[in-house]
Amino acid sequence: ADFAEYRDERLKTISAKSLKRQLSPLSNMFEVAKTEWGLPLKDNPLAALSLKVKDNKRVRRLREGELELILRAAAQTRNPFVAPIIRLAIETGMRRGEILALRWRNVSLAKAFVTVVESKNGYSRTVPLNLNALRILQEMRGITGPEKDNLVFPITPMSLRLAWNRLLRRAGIDDLHFHDLRH
């Protein structure tokens, strides 16, 4: 009852999703106390707490013809890295931050994979490369050089964001985020 009262009070100022995220460590603490520490808890008091979280996941995908418009607009940007970054994102499903953090030491053209040293969840992962992705990276190797510490794409996140926004306006595309290219 106390947690339900707390929930109702907190929901006046924050979203259900935020509250669920805030209560998660507390719920975990009760689980650990019950299962690992042997405290005599019948149940986790937060397990039955009802929280209606609205699912607001984006489902935007590239529509027919949009890729061509984007690549045409990207070709008009002054920054030579924008179009290859977009193409690599589409071919690999990598996140913008993963692509921008990619260094040559984490690329194996011979074995056709890249290692994302730290992904969103904090772990490294290996991303296989198809022929198109390999071609993009081979082109970039000629531009940014093979030195192991060099970034594959020496461009700041803000530069890419601004270029992305400009090219979308130029292409006449609404409501498309860079992250949507992963889909």
Side-chain angles (χ1 to χ4, degrees):
D2 291 335
F3 286 119
E5 186 179 325
Y6 175 77
R7 172 202 59 207
D8 296 342
E9 195 58 37
R10 287 295 286 148
L11 287 176
K12 292 177 183 175
T13 57
I14 64 173
S15 71
K17 190 171 188 176
S18 294
L19 181 57
K20 188 171 187 160
R21 199 170 30 254
Q22 289 177 359
L23 291 176
S24 181
L26 190 57
S27 178
N28 184 58
M29 178 204 64
F30 280 115
E31 287 298 322
V32 170
K34 185 175 84 171
T35 59
E36 293 186 26
W37 301 342
L39 292 181
L41 296 173
K42 180 180 165 195
D43 292 310
N44 179 342
L46 290 172
L49 188 67
S50 174
L51 271 174
K52 302 285 189 241
V53 177
K54 189 170 71 175
D55 185 12
N56 59 354
K57 291 181 182 175
R58 284 182 59 86
V59 293
R60 175 73 157 87
R61 307 276 194 275
L62 282 173
R63 297 183 185 116
E64 188 155 341
E66 284 185 334
L67 178 57
E68 293 77 19
L69 291 172
I70 288 170
L71 292 177
R72 204 173 307 131
Q76 296 173 16
T77 63
R78 288 179 290 197
N79 193 316
F81 304 115
V82 174
I85 288 171
I86 292 169
R87 290 176 24 230
L88 189 67
I90 290 169
E91 295 296 334
T92 63
M94 291 171 66
R95 294 176 177 87
R96 176 181 55 210
E98 293 171 344
I99 293 171
L100 295 180
L102 194 59
R103 295 189 179 273
W104 284 114
R105 68 173 163 254
N106 305 118
V107 176
S108 175
L109 295 175
K111 294 181 182 176
F113 71 84
V114 298
T115 301
V116 175
V117 176
E118 191 173 322
S119 64
K120 182 179 176 180
N121 65 12
Y123 298 104
S124 65
R125 67 185 177 101
T126 301
V127 178
L129 302 172
N130 64 21
L131 288 176
N132 291 334
L134 277 170
R135 279 191 213 105
I136 294 163
L137 291 171
Q138 287 166 340
E139 291 169 14
M140 291 311 304
R141 192 167 200 114
I143 297 171
T144 60
E147 289 80 20
K148 299 276 186 208
D149 286 335
N150 283 2
L151 288 168
V152 174
F153 299 100
I155 176 176
T156 66
M158 183 56 74
S159 295
L160 180 59
R161 178 185 304 272
L162 293 172
W164 175 256
N165 291 338
R166 282 190 301 269
L167 77 85
L168 286 181
R169 277 194 305 276
R170 196 177 307 126
I173 297 173
D174 292 332
D175 190 38
L176 185 70
H177 300 179
F178 188 90
H179 192 81
D180 297 331
L181 299 178
R182 297 189 73 216
H183 304 292

